[in-house]
């Protein structure tokens, strides 16, 4: 069982946000994953002149996690500016679902502050995941 330090996790997401490549939307996003093994992986959005090819921050963080040899998300933090909460997009909710369950905390923040704490189950109810294929 991991004792999560969520303020540390949102700090990692904020640091990742500062590395975003978002020249088209000018909307930098950072994500940080705490794994069940206690490791932290982060990622930022990476846009492309061919707009649909851009990657979300959560997808980048998941790629980093897999490359690091982990595959179980204990908590995930997402950081982005704006009046509205920078909640994970629908596609990223499903990406997170692959490696998390309904109780997994999803922390939404901005510049080093957690603004809202949710769970994956609240963001993606009645989800379809790996167990559905058993
Ligand atoms: N974005 C993310 O990185 N994660 C989300 O969950 C929401 C949106 C990025 C994609 C795009 O680069 C920019 O934010 C504007 O949509």
């Amino acid at each position: 069982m991991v004792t999560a330090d969520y303020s540390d996790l949102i700090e990692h997401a904020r640091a990742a946000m500062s590395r975003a490549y978002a020249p088209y939307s000018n909307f930098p996003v950072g994500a940080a994953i705490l794994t069940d093994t206690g490791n932290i992986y982060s990622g930022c959005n990476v846009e492309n002149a061919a707009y649909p090819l851009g990657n979300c921050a959560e997808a980048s963080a998941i790629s980093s996690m897999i490359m690091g040899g982990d595959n179980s998300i204990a908590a995930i933090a997402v950081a982005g500016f704006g009046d509205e909460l920078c909640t994970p997009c629908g596609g990223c909710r499903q990406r997170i679902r692959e490696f998390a369950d309904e109780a997994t905390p999803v922390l939404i923040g901005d510049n080093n502050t957690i603004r809202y704490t949710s769970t994956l189950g609240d963001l993606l109810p009645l989800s379809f995941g790996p167990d559905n294929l058993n």
Side-chain angles (χ1 to χ4, degrees):
M1 187 67 178
V2 172
T3 302
D5 182 346
Y6 293 150
S7 61
D8 185 50
L9 196 61
I10 198 70
E11 168 58 20
H12 278 81
R14 187 210 60 77
M17 179 175 63
S18 73
R19 309 303 292 268
Y21 177 76
Y24 305 108
S25 70
N26 289 310
F27 191 80
V29 182
I33 292 168
L34 174 69
T35 66
D36 285 345
T37 55
N39 292 322
I40 292 177
Y41 299 95
S42 57
C44 61
N45 53 336
V46 182
E47 298 184 345
N48 193 281
Y51 292 176
L53 296 182
N55 285 339
C56 283
E58 297 90 330
S60 298
I62 287 171
S63 293
S64 178
M65 176 186 74
I66 294 300
M67 279 302 297
D70 281 303
N71 62 9
S72 187
I73 297 175
I76 181 167
V78 181
F81 293 120
D83 293 338
E84 302 293 329
L85 294 172
C86 187
T87 46
C89 75
C92 283
R93 296 177 194 202
Q94 183 66 33
R95 289 189 177 96
I96 295 165
R97 173 64 183 91
E98 187 70 18
F99 308 104
D101 59 34
E102 62 182 15
T104 303
V106 180
L107 315 158
I108 312 299
D110 51 22
N111 201 13
N112 208 21
T113 302
I114 297 172
R115 297 176 65 191
Y116 191 79
T117 301
S118 187
T119 63
L120 184 60
D122 283 343
L123 295 176
L124 192 67
L126 293 174
S127 65
F128 187 92
D131 293 347
N132 292 85
L133 297 178
N134 288 339

